[in-house]
Amino acid sequence: MPGPRRTIVQLLPALDAGGVERSTLEIAQALVRAGDRAIVVSAGGRLVPRLTALGAEHVKLDIGRKSLLTLRHIAALRRVFERERACTRSTRSRLPAWLGWRAVRGMGSDAPRFVTTVHGLNSPSRYSAIMTRGERVICVSETVHDFVLTHYPKTDPGKLRVVPRGIDPDAFPHHPWPDRDARRRAASLHPQLGGDGPLLLLPGRGTRLKGHADALVLLATLRARGRDARLWLPGSREEGRGHYIEELEGQATQLGIADAVAFTPATFAIADAYAASDLVLQLSRKPEAFGRTVLEASAIGRSVVGWDHGGVGELLRVLQPRGAVPPFDGTLLERTADALLDAPPPRPVTMPYTLRAMQEATLAVYAELDRT
């Protein structure tokens, strides 16, 4: 017999784009599928229609704006908890976590249980510490788990739960290597990507933290060694980041590789971009909490090379250990890339980091609190 229907309220700043927003929808989907009621409180955004299409509900409150005026939403948030009889509030961002924490004060035994999810490696501070106050604290990787215990040593390790992010295998099906058709499609959109040599791919936003400059140096080195390599940087060209692109284009010109690089906006067909590539790069200059690029590329069947730190290094050591390079060692990066292009590693036999596994593990954390 199924248990009683629960109401889970997730809090976050907005529903526009990003890993936090994607995870919010994925958990809402799992709750609805399990017969529970899923409510998301945020300022809204372009993902709201997708959320409601899943059968979840949305309450519009601007709980992510860093302003004293945002405090006025505390009372409204408390009314949401009371009206909807929420049994759990799940928070993925710091300011909404603070507001939710204040909102339940005085609710007594009617207060919803408190779950936080630490998605990032934010600078340690009293402000960020709210994410460790959950009755259960979900960490999206072992990297995050260790970060929490290192920087917030008063946190009870018994309440931490590691639930890695996961991907939908149907969205990233295996492609043969090389995939000539996918490469032709990429070259038809971006002529710089034509040719018979290997295609390198570094998906990531237009920020220095993503390591675009390291990728340009790697490309120049490979081409100097006689490879007709090309480089695609989807996501590097962003609105409002014109100065950054000019800087990268200038570097490419100086290195003599301008005609072999495509700086483009993000692509909605990222699986096809992986399929078109021969080697995927993950060169973030700052350790990341998780490395979804490693999962997606591995599922498609592509080699990945990246700096061995943070969540990226954690996943590489599990899925593609040959691709883990000590951070910022450009010489070893070039040697590793060369070796992987000549002899790609076998595709992982199994992919443990699936969307379904992540959803089920998260709902199991909520269920823990139902029993206490």
Side-chain angles (χ1 to χ4, degrees), residues 289-327:
F290 197 70
R292 188 181 287 266
T293 296
V294 178
L295 296 188
E296 295 172 347
S298 296
I300 293 287
R302 295 300 176 266
S303 303
V304 183
V305 62
W307 301 133
D308 186 8
H309 60 182
V312 171
E314 179 182 328
L315 289 176
L316 282 172
R317 290 192 296 273
V318 173
L319 297 173
Q320 295 196 32
R322 285 176 55 200
V325 177

PDB file of all heavy atoms in Angstrom, residues 289-327:
ATOM      1  N   ALA A 289      31.833  21.731  -7.978  1.00  0.00           N
ATOM      2  CA  ALA A 289      31.184  20.780  -7.089  1.00  0.00           C
ATOM      3  C   ALA A 289      30.906  19.456  -7.775  1.00  0.00           C
ATOM      4  O   ALA A 289      30.930  18.390  -7.141  1.00  0.00           O
ATOM      5  CB  ALA A 289      29.873  21.377  -6.560  1.00  0.00           C
ATOM      6  N   PHE A 290      30.644  19.509  -9.061  1.00  0.00           N
ATOM      7  CA  PHE A 290      30.323  18.308  -9.811  1.00  0.00           C
ATOM      8  C   PHE A 290      30.826  18.501 -11.237  1.00  0.00           C
ATOM      9  O   PHE A 290      31.174  19.614 -11.629  1.00  0.00           O
ATOM     10  CB  PHE A 290      28.808  18.058  -9.794  1.00  0.00           C
ATOM     11  CG  PHE A 290      28.405  16.662 -10.189  1.00  0.00           C
ATOM     12  CD1 PHE A 290      28.684  15.589  -9.354  1.00  0.00           C
ATOM     13  CD2 PHE A 290      27.758  16.423 -11.379  1.00  0.00           C
ATOM     14  CE1 PHE A 290      28.326  14.302  -9.706  1.00  0.00           C
ATOM     15  CE2 PHE A 290      27.395  15.134 -11.756  1.00  0.00           C
ATOM     16  CZ  PHE A 290      27.684  14.072 -10.907  1.00  0.00           C
ATOM     17  N   GLY A 291      30.862  17.434 -12.011  1.00  0.00           N
ATOM     18  CA  GLY A 291      31.361  17.530 -13.376  1.00  0.00           C
ATOM     19  C   GLY A 291      30.433  16.866 -14.361  1.00  0.00           C
ATOM     20  O   GLY A 291      30.763  15.839 -14.945  1.00  0.00           O
ATOM     21  N   ARG A 292      29.273  17.484 -14.584  1.00  0.00           N
ATOM     22  CA  ARG A 292      28.261  16.873 -15.445  1.00  0.00           C
ATOM     23  C   ARG A 292      28.793  16.624 -16.862  1.00  0.00           C
ATOM     24  O   ARG A 292      28.417  15.655 -17.517  1.00  0.00           O
ATOM     25  CB  ARG A 292      27.016  17.757 -15.490  1.00  0.00           C
ATOM     26  CG  ARG A 292      25.827  17.135 -16.204  1.00  0.00           C
ATOM     27  CD  ARG A 292      24.657  18.090 -16.227  1.00  0.00           C
ATOM     28  NE  ARG A 292      24.031  18.235 -14.938  1.00  0.00           N
ATOM     29  CZ  ARG A 292      22.973  17.523 -14.538  1.00  0.00           C
ATOM     30  NH1 ARG A 292      22.452  16.621 -15.334  1.00  0.00           N
ATOM     31  NH2 ARG A 292      22.429  17.729 -13.358  1.00  0.00           N
ATOM     32  N   THR A 293      29.679  17.491 -17.337  1.00  0.00           N
ATOM     33  CA  THR A 293      30.261  17.299 -18.667  1.00  0.00           C
ATOM     34  C   THR A 293      30.933  15.936 -18.784  1.00  0.00           C
ATOM     35  O   THR A 293      30.846  15.269 -19.829  1.00  0.00           O
ATOM     36  CB  THR A 293      31.283  18.409 -18.965  1.00  0.00           C
ATOM     37  OG1 THR A 293      30.609  19.665 -19.014  1.00  0.00           O
ATOM     38  CG2 THR A 293      31.988  18.177 -20.286  1.00  0.00           C
ATOM     39  N   VAL A 294      31.616  15.503 -17.723  1.00  0.00           N
ATOM     40  CA  VAL A 294      32.286  14.199 -17.740  1.00  0.00           C
ATOM     41  C   VAL A 294      31.267  13.084 -17.935  1.00  0.00           C
ATOM     42  O   VAL A 294      31.480  12.149 -18.714  1.00  0.00           O
ATOM     43  CB  VAL A 294      33.079  13.987 -16.442  1.00  0.00           C
ATOM     44  CG1 VAL A 294      33.744  12.613 -16.442  1.00  0.00           C
ATOM     45  CG2 VAL A 294      34.128  15.082 -16.259  1.00  0.00           C
ATOM     46  N   LEU A 295      30.136  13.179 -17.244  1.00  0.00           N
ATOM     47  CA  LEU A 295      29.094  12.154 -17.363  1.00  0.00           C
ATOM     48  C   LEU A 295      28.515  12.134 -18.770  1.00  0.00           C
ATOM     49  O   LEU A 295      28.379  11.066 -19.386  1.00  0.00           O
ATOM     50  CB  LEU A 295      27.962  12.419 -16.376  1.00  0.00           C
ATOM     51  CG  LEU A 295      28.255  12.366 -14.885  1.00  0.00           C
ATOM     52  CD1 LEU A 295      26.953  12.457 -14.100  1.00  0.00           C
ATOM     53  CD2 LEU A 295      29.017  11.113 -14.521  1.00  0.00           C
ATOM     54  N   GLU A 296      28.145  13.305 -19.258  1.00  0.00           N
ATOM     55  CA  GLU A 296      27.480  13.378 -20.560  1.00  0.00           C
ATOM     56  C   GLU A 296      28.386  12.862 -21.676  1.00  0.00           C
ATOM     57  O   GLU A 296      27.963  12.060 -22.522  1.00  0.00           O
ATOM     58  CB  GLU A 296      27.040  14.820 -20.818  1.00  0.00           C
ATOM     59  CG  GLU A 296      25.972  15.297 -19.846  1.00  0.00           C
ATOM     60  CD  GLU A 296      25.662  16.785 -19.955  1.00  0.00           C
ATOM     61  OE1 GLU A 296      26.450  17.510 -20.611  1.00  0.00           O
ATOM     62  OE2 GLU A 296      24.650  17.224 -19.389  1.00  0.00           O
ATOM     63  N   ALA A 297      29.626  13.311 -21.669  1.00  0.00           N
ATOM     64  CA  ALA A 297      30.557  12.884 -22.712  1.00  0.00           C
ATOM     65  C   ALA A 297      30.843  11.385 -22.609  1.00  0.00           C
ATOM     66  O   ALA A 297      30.926  10.690 -23.626  1.00  0.00           O
ATOM     67  CB  ALA A 297      31.855  13.681 -22.611  1.00  0.00           C
ATOM     68  N   SER A 298      31.005  10.876 -21.395  1.00  0.00           N
ATOM     69  CA  SER A 298      31.275   9.451 -21.210  1.00  0.00           C
ATOM     70  C   SER A 298      30.115   8.607 -21.695  1.00  0.00           C
ATOM     71  O   SER A 298      30.312   7.548 -22.310  1.00  0.00           O
ATOM     72  CB  SER A 298      31.560   9.157 -19.734  1.00  0.00           C
ATOM     73  OG  SER A 298      32.736   9.813 -19.300  1.00  0.00           O
ATOM     74  N   ALA A 299      28.883   9.060 -21.435  1.00  0.00           N
ATOM     75  CA  ALA A 299      27.714   8.309 -21.882  1.00  0.00           C
ATOM     76  C   ALA A 299      27.653   8.252 -23.405  1.00  0.00           C
ATOM     77  O   ALA A 299      27.318   7.212 -23.995  1.00  0.00           O
ATOM     78  CB  ALA A 299      26.439   8.937 -21.320  1.00  0.00           C
ATOM     79  N   ILE A 300      27.997   9.362 -24.060  1.00  0.00           N
ATOM     80  CA  ILE A 300      28.003   9.401 -25.526  1.00  0.00           C
ATOM     81  C   ILE A 300      29.095   8.488 -26.082  1.00  0.00           C
ATOM     82  O   ILE A 300      28.976   7.929 -27.173  1.00  0.00           O
ATOM     83  CB  ILE A 300      28.225  10.848 -26.011  1.00  0.00           C
ATOM     84  CG1 ILE A 300      27.016  11.732 -25.654  1.00  0.00           C
ATOM     85  CG2 ILE A 300      28.507  10.900 -27.508  1.00  0.00           C
ATOM     86  CD1 ILE A 300      25.786  11.487 -26.469  1.00  0.00           C
ATOM     87  N   GLY A 301      30.177   8.326 -25.293  1.00  0.00           N
ATOM     88  CA  GLY A 301      31.282   7.491 -25.737  1.00  0.00           C
ATOM     89  C   GLY A 301      32.488   8.276 -26.179  1.00  0.00           C
ATOM     90  O   GLY A 301      33.224   7.867 -27.080  1.00  0.00           O
ATOM     91  N   ARG A 302      32.723   9.442 -25.530  1.00  0.00           N
ATOM     92  CA  ARG A 302      33.846  10.278 -25.913  1.00  0.00           C
ATOM     93  C   ARG A 302      34.867  10.385 -24.778  1.00  0.00           C
ATOM     94  O   ARG A 302      34.507  10.417 -23.597  1.00  0.00           O
ATOM     95  CB  ARG A 302      33.368  11.689 -26.296  1.00  0.00           C
ATOM     96  CG  ARG A 302      32.492  11.703 -27.537  1.00  0.00           C
ATOM     97  CD  ARG A 302      33.230  11.153 -28.754  1.00  0.00           C
ATOM     98  NE  ARG A 302      32.386  11.070 -29.947  1.00  0.00           N
ATOM     99  CZ  ARG A 302      31.724   9.985 -30.320  1.00  0.00           C
ATOM    100  NH1 ARG A 302      31.802   8.884 -29.588  1.00  0.00           N
ATOM    101  NH2 ARG A 302      30.991   9.975 -31.420  1.00  0.00           N
ATOM    102  N   SER A 303      36.119  10.474 -25.165  1.00  0.00           N
ATOM    103  CA  SER A 303      37.193  10.662 -24.197  1.00  0.00           C
ATOM    104  C   SER A 303      37.085  12.053 -23.577  1.00  0.00           C
ATOM    105  O   SER A 303      36.680  13.014 -24.240  1.00  0.00           O
ATOM    106  CB  SER A 303      38.554  10.513 -24.876  1.00  0.00           C
ATOM    107  OG  SER A 303      38.677   9.258 -25.498  1.00  0.00           O
ATOM    108  N   VAL A 304      37.477  12.132 -22.314  1.00  0.00           N
ATOM    109  CA  VAL A 304      37.472  13.411 -21.604  1.00  0.00           C
ATOM    110  C   VAL A 304      38.842  13.602 -20.965  1.00  0.00           C
ATOM    111  O   VAL A 304      39.413  12.674 -20.377  1.00  0.00           O
ATOM    112  CB  VAL A 304      36.389  13.456 -20.509  1.00  0.00           C
ATOM    113  CG1 VAL A 304      36.361  14.834 -19.844  1.00  0.00           C
ATOM    114  CG2 VAL A 304      35.020  13.112 -21.078  1.00  0.00           C
ATOM    115  N   VAL A 305      39.373  14.806 -21.070  1.00  0.00           N
ATOM    116  CA  VAL A 305      40.587  15.171 -20.349  1.00  0.00           C
ATOM    117  C   VAL A 305      40.267  16.418 -19.536  1.00  0.00           C
ATOM    118  O   VAL A 305      39.577  17.329 -20.022  1.00  0.00           O
ATOM    119  CB  VAL A 305      41.780  15.399 -21.302  1.00  0.00           C
ATOM    120  CG1 VAL A 305      41.516  16.561 -22.261  1.00  0.00           C
ATOM    121  CG2 VAL A 305      43.068  15.637 -20.523  1.00  0.00           C
ATOM    122  N   GLY A 306      40.722  16.450 -18.293  1.00  0.00           N
ATOM    123  CA  GLY A 306      40.405  17.602 -17.446  1.00  0.00           C
ATOM    124  C   GLY A 306      41.340  17.694 -16.263  1.00  0.00           C
ATOM    125  O   GLY A 306      42.091  16.757 -15.947  1.00  0.00           O
ATOM    126  N   TRP A 307      41.295  18.840 -15.613  1.00  0.00           N
ATOM    127  CA  TRP A 307      42.107  19.052 -14.414  1.00  0.00           C
ATOM    128  C   TRP A 307      41.570  18.183 -13.285  1.00  0.00           C
ATOM    129  O   TRP A 307      40.370  18.142 -13.025  1.00  0.00           O
ATOM    130  CB  TRP A 307      42.095  20.517 -14.004  1.00  0.00           C
ATOM    131  CG  TRP A 307      42.600  21.502 -15.009  1.00  0.00           C
ATOM    132  CD1 TRP A 307      42.004  22.678 -15.373  1.00  0.00           C
ATOM    133  CD2 TRP A 307      43.824  21.443 -15.759  1.00  0.00           C
ATOM    134  NE1 TRP A 307      42.768  23.340 -16.307  1.00  0.00           N
ATOM    135  CE2 TRP A 307      43.900  22.610 -16.559  1.00  0.00           C
ATOM    136  CE3 TRP A 307      44.869  20.510 -15.844  1.00  0.00           C
ATOM    137  CZ2 TRP A 307      44.969  22.864 -17.421  1.00  0.00           C
ATOM    138  CZ3 TRP A 307      45.929  20.772 -16.708  1.00  0.00           C
ATOM    139  CH2 TRP A 307      45.978  21.929 -17.475  1.00  0.00           C
ATOM    140  N   ASP A 308      42.487  17.535 -12.606  1.00  0.00           N
ATOM    141  CA  ASP A 308      42.125  16.580 -11.557  1.00  0.00           C
ATOM    142  C   ASP A 308      41.913  17.308 -10.231  1.00  0.00           C
ATOM    143  O   ASP A 308      42.719  17.205  -9.295  1.00  0.00           O
ATOM    144  CB  ASP A 308      43.235  15.527 -11.433  1.00  0.00           C
ATOM    145  CG  ASP A 308      42.874  14.401 -10.472  1.00  0.00           C
ATOM    146  OD1 ASP A 308      41.710  14.353 -10.027  1.00  0.00           O
ATOM    147  OD2 ASP A 308      43.765  13.580 -10.168  1.00  0.00           O
ATOM    148  N   HIS A 309      40.820  18.063 -10.172  1.00  0.00           N
ATOM    149  CA  HIS A 309      40.433  18.674  -8.901  1.00  0.00           C
ATOM    150  C   HIS A 309      38.917  18.805  -8.852  1.00  0.00           C
ATOM    151  O   HIS A 309      38.228  18.764  -9.875  1.00  0.00           O
ATOM    152  CB  HIS A 309      41.131  20.027  -8.671  1.00  0.00           C
ATOM    153  CG  HIS A 309      40.866  21.079  -9.706  1.00  0.00           C
ATOM    154  ND1 HIS A 309      41.442  22.329  -9.679  1.00  0.00           N
ATOM    155  CD2 HIS A 309      40.084  21.078 -10.825  1.00  0.00           C
ATOM    156  CE1 HIS A 309      41.040  23.037 -10.715  1.00  0.00           C
ATOM    157  NE2 HIS A 309      40.204  22.313 -11.418  1.00  0.00           N
ATOM    158  N   GLY A 310      38.398  18.941  -7.636  1.00  0.00           N
ATOM    159  CA  GLY A 310      36.961  19.103  -7.446  1.00  0.00           C
ATOM    160  C   GLY A 310      36.167  17.914  -7.958  1.00  0.00           C
ATOM    161  O   GLY A 310      36.658  16.784  -8.083  1.00  0.00           O
ATOM    162  N   GLY A 311      34.905  18.196  -8.281  1.00  0.00           N
ATOM    163  CA  GLY A 311      34.017  17.143  -8.745  1.00  0.00           C
ATOM    164  C   GLY A 311      34.408  16.568 -10.083  1.00  0.00           C
ATOM    165  O   GLY A 311      34.124  15.395 -10.370  1.00  0.00           O
ATOM    166  N   VAL A 312      35.073  17.365 -10.916  1.00  0.00           N
ATOM    167  CA  VAL A 312      35.534  16.865 -12.217  1.00  0.00           C
ATOM    168  C   VAL A 312      36.572  15.767 -12.019  1.00  0.00           C
ATOM    169  O   VAL A 312      36.486  14.676 -12.597  1.00  0.00           O
ATOM    170  CB  VAL A 312      36.109  18.008 -13.065  1.00  0.00           C
ATOM    171  CG1 VAL A 312      36.796  17.467 -14.313  1.00  0.00           C
ATOM    172  CG2 VAL A 312      35.004  18.987 -13.445  1.00  0.00           C
ATOM    173  N   GLY A 313      37.571  16.041 -11.194  1.00  0.00           N
ATOM    174  CA  GLY A 313      38.580  15.031 -10.914  1.00  0.00           C
ATOM    175  C   GLY A 313      37.988  13.788 -10.283  1.00  0.00           C
ATOM    176  O   GLY A 313      38.388  12.657 -10.594  1.00  0.00           O
ATOM    177  N   GLU A 314      37.016  13.992  -9.395  1.00  0.00           N
ATOM    178  CA  GLU A 314      36.358  12.862  -8.743  1.00  0.00           C
ATOM    179  C   GLU A 314      35.728  11.925  -9.770  1.00  0.00           C
ATOM    180  O   GLU A 314      35.889  10.695  -9.697  1.00  0.00           O
ATOM    181  CB  GLU A 314      35.295  13.396  -7.781  1.00  0.00           C
ATOM    182  CG  GLU A 314      34.498  12.335  -7.041  1.00  0.00           C
ATOM    183  CD  GLU A 314      33.434  12.942  -6.130  1.00  0.00           C
ATOM    184  OE1 GLU A 314      33.659  14.053  -5.601  1.00  0.00           O
ATOM    185  OE2 GLU A 314      32.377  12.306  -5.948  1.00  0.00           O
ATOM    186  N   LEU A 315      35.018  12.483 -10.741  1.00  0.00           N
ATOM    187  CA  LEU A 315      34.356  11.659 -11.755  1.00  0.00           C
ATOM    188  C   LEU A 315      35.356  11.062 -12.743  1.00  0.00           C
ATOM    189  O   LEU A 315      35.203   9.903 -13.174  1.00  0.00           O
ATOM    190  CB  LEU A 315      33.308  12.484 -12.499  1.00  0.00           C
ATOM    191  CG  LEU A 315      32.068  12.847 -11.697  1.00  0.00           C
ATOM    192  CD1 LEU A 315      31.148  13.742 -12.520  1.00  0.00           C
ATOM    193  CD2 LEU A 315      31.316  11.597 -11.260  1.00  0.00           C
ATOM    194  N   LEU A 316      36.356  11.824 -13.122  1.00  0.00           N
ATOM    195  CA  LEU A 316      37.360  11.285 -14.032  1.00  0.00           C
ATOM    196  C   LEU A 316      38.062  10.081 -13.417  1.00  0.00           C
ATOM    197  O   LEU A 316      38.323   9.079 -14.105  1.00  0.00           O
ATOM    198  CB  LEU A 316      38.387  12.359 -14.398  1.00  0.00           C
ATOM    199  CG  LEU A 316      37.950  13.395 -15.435  1.00  0.00           C
ATOM    200  CD1 LEU A 316      38.985  14.506 -15.548  1.00  0.00           C
ATOM    201  CD2 LEU A 316      37.727  12.743 -16.797  1.00  0.00           C
ATOM    202  N   ARG A 317      38.376  10.156 -12.141  1.00  0.00           N
ATOM    203  CA  ARG A 317      39.079   9.035 -11.496  1.00  0.00           C
ATOM    204  C   ARG A 317      38.231   7.772 -11.486  1.00  0.00           C
ATOM    205  O   ARG A 317      38.753   6.661 -11.489  1.00  0.00           O
ATOM    206  CB  ARG A 317      39.491   9.426 -10.078  1.00  0.00           C
ATOM    207  CG  ARG A 317      40.606  10.464 -10.041  1.00  0.00           C
ATOM    208  CD  ARG A 317      41.184  10.622  -8.643  1.00  0.00           C
ATOM    209  NE  ARG A 317      40.215  11.145  -7.693  1.00  0.00           N
ATOM    210  CZ  ARG A 317      39.980  12.431  -7.476  1.00  0.00           C
ATOM    211  NH1 ARG A 317      40.640  13.346  -8.188  1.00  0.00           N
ATOM    212  NH2 ARG A 317      39.101  12.819  -6.584  1.00  0.00           N
ATOM    213  N   VAL A 318      36.905   7.941 -11.509  1.00  0.00           N
ATOM    214  CA  VAL A 318      36.003   6.786 -11.531  1.00  0.00           C
ATOM    215  C   VAL A 318      35.769   6.285 -12.951  1.00  0.00           C
ATOM    216  O   VAL A 318      35.848   5.081 -13.225  1.00  0.00           O
ATOM    217  CB  VAL A 318      34.649   7.148 -10.871  1.00  0.00           C
ATOM    218  CG1 VAL A 318      33.634   6.013 -11.052  1.00  0.00           C
ATOM    219  CG2 VAL A 318      34.834   7.443  -9.390  1.00  0.00           C
ATOM    220  N   LEU A 319      35.482   7.211 -13.878  1.00  0.00           N
ATOM    221  CA  LEU A 319      35.029   6.836 -15.213  1.00  0.00           C
ATOM    222  C   LEU A 319      36.134   6.797 -16.263  1.00  0.00           C
ATOM    223  O   LEU A 319      36.119   5.945 -17.156  1.00  0.00           O
ATOM    224  CB  LEU A 319      33.922   7.800 -15.671  1.00  0.00           C
ATOM    225  CG  LEU A 319      32.646   7.798 -14.834  1.00  0.00           C
ATOM    226  CD1 LEU A 319      31.719   8.919 -15.292  1.00  0.00           C
ATOM    227  CD2 LEU A 319      31.942   6.451 -14.931  1.00  0.00           C
ATOM    228  N   GLN A 320      37.070   7.755 -16.190  1.00  0.00           N
ATOM    229  CA  GLN A 320      38.131   7.837 -17.205  1.00  0.00           C
ATOM    230  C   GLN A 320      39.435   8.290 -16.543  1.00  0.00           C
ATOM    231  O   GLN A 320      39.893   9.423 -16.769  1.00  0.00           O
ATOM    232  CB  GLN A 320      37.741   8.804 -18.326  1.00  0.00           C
ATOM    233  CG  GLN A 320      36.547   8.378 -19.152  1.00  0.00           C
ATOM    234  CD  GLN A 320      36.456   9.143 -20.464  1.00  0.00           C
ATOM    235  OE1 GLN A 320      37.449   9.531 -21.060  1.00  0.00           O
ATOM    236  NE2 GLN A 320      35.241   9.359 -20.925  1.00  0.00           N
ATOM    237  N   PRO A 321      40.046   7.438 -15.739  1.00  0.00           N
ATOM    238  CA  PRO A 321      41.221   7.876 -14.971  1.00  0.00           C
ATOM    239  C   PRO A 321      42.377   8.358 -15.838  1.00  0.00           C
ATOM    240  O   PRO A 321      43.172   9.191 -15.389  1.00  0.00           O
ATOM    241  CB  PRO A 321      41.603   6.621 -14.169  1.00  0.00           C
ATOM    242  CG  PRO A 321      40.838   5.486 -14.764  1.00  0.00           C
ATOM    243  CD  PRO A 321      39.621   6.074 -15.388  1.00  0.00           C
ATOM    244  N   ARG A 322      42.487   7.869 -17.072  1.00  0.00           N
ATOM    245  CA  ARG A 322      43.574   8.334 -17.939  1.00  0.00           C
ATOM    246  C   ARG A 322      43.439   9.814 -18.277  1.00  0.00           C
ATOM    247  O   ARG A 322      44.414  10.466 -18.655  1.00  0.00           O
ATOM    248  CB  ARG A 322      43.602   7.524 -19.235  1.00  0.00           C
ATOM    249  CG  ARG A 322      44.158   6.116 -19.098  1.00  0.00           C
ATOM    250  CD  ARG A 322      44.056   5.365 -20.418  1.00  0.00           C
ATOM    251  NE  ARG A 322      44.703   6.089 -21.514  1.00  0.00           N
ATOM    252  CZ  ARG A 322      44.432   5.864 -22.801  1.00  0.00           C
ATOM    253  NH1 ARG A 322      43.518   4.955 -23.149  1.00  0.00           N
ATOM    254  NH2 ARG A 322      45.050   6.551 -23.742  1.00  0.00           N
ATOM    255  N   GLY A 323      42.232  10.355 -18.141  1.00  0.00           N
ATOM    256  CA  GLY A 323      42.010  11.745 -18.509  1.00  0.00           C
ATOM    257  C   GLY A 323      42.222  12.740 -17.393  1.00  0.00           C
ATOM    258  O   GLY A 323      42.091  13.951 -17.614  1.00  0.00           O
ATOM    259  N   ALA A 324      42.562  12.271 -16.198  1.00  0.00           N
ATOM    260  CA  ALA A 324      42.751  13.172 -15.052  1.00  0.00           C
ATOM    261  C   ALA A 324      44.181  13.702 -15.043  1.00  0.00           C
ATOM    262  O   ALA A 324      45.144  12.947 -14.905  1.00  0.00           O
ATOM    263  CB  ALA A 324      42.449  12.435 -13.756  1.00  0.00           C
ATOM    264  N   VAL A 325      44.324  15.024 -15.187  1.00  0.00           N
ATOM    265  CA  VAL A 325      45.635  15.671 -15.289  1.00  0.00           C
ATOM    266  C   VAL A 325      45.829  16.597 -14.095  1.00  0.00           C
ATOM    267  O   VAL A 325      44.911  17.359 -13.743  1.00  0.00           O
ATOM    268  CB  VAL A 325      45.738  16.485 -16.596  1.00  0.00           C
ATOM    269  CG1 VAL A 325      47.067  17.221 -16.677  1.00  0.00           C
ATOM    270  CG2 VAL A 325      45.555  15.569 -17.803  1.00  0.00           C
ATOM    271  N   PRO A 326      46.998  16.561 -13.444  1.00  0.00           N
ATOM    272  CA  PRO A 326      47.245  17.494 -12.332  1.00  0.00           C
ATOM    273  C   PRO A 326      46.951  18.932 -12.773  1.00  0.00           C
ATOM    274  O   PRO A 326      47.331  19.341 -13.878  1.00  0.00           O
ATOM    275  CB  PRO A 326      48.736  17.290 -12.030  1.00  0.00           C
ATOM    276  CG  PRO A 326      49.014  15.885 -12.467  1.00  0.00           C
ATOM    277  CD  PRO A 326      48.148  15.673 -13.682  1.00  0.00           C
ATOM    278  N   PRO A 327      46.251  19.686 -11.934  1.00  0.00           N
ATOM    279  CA  PRO A 327      45.804  21.026 -12.335  1.00  0.00           C
ATOM    280  C   PRO A 327      46.929  21.899 -12.883  1.00  0.00           C
ATOM    281  O   PRO A 327      48.000  22.007 -12.287  1.00  0.00           O
ATOM    282  CB  PRO A 327      45.228  21.604 -11.041  1.00  0.00           C
ATOM    283  CG  PRO A 327      44.780  20.395 -10.276  1.00  0.00           C
ATOM    284  CD  PRO A 327      45.790  19.336 -10.580  1.00  0.00           C
TER     285      PRO A 327
END
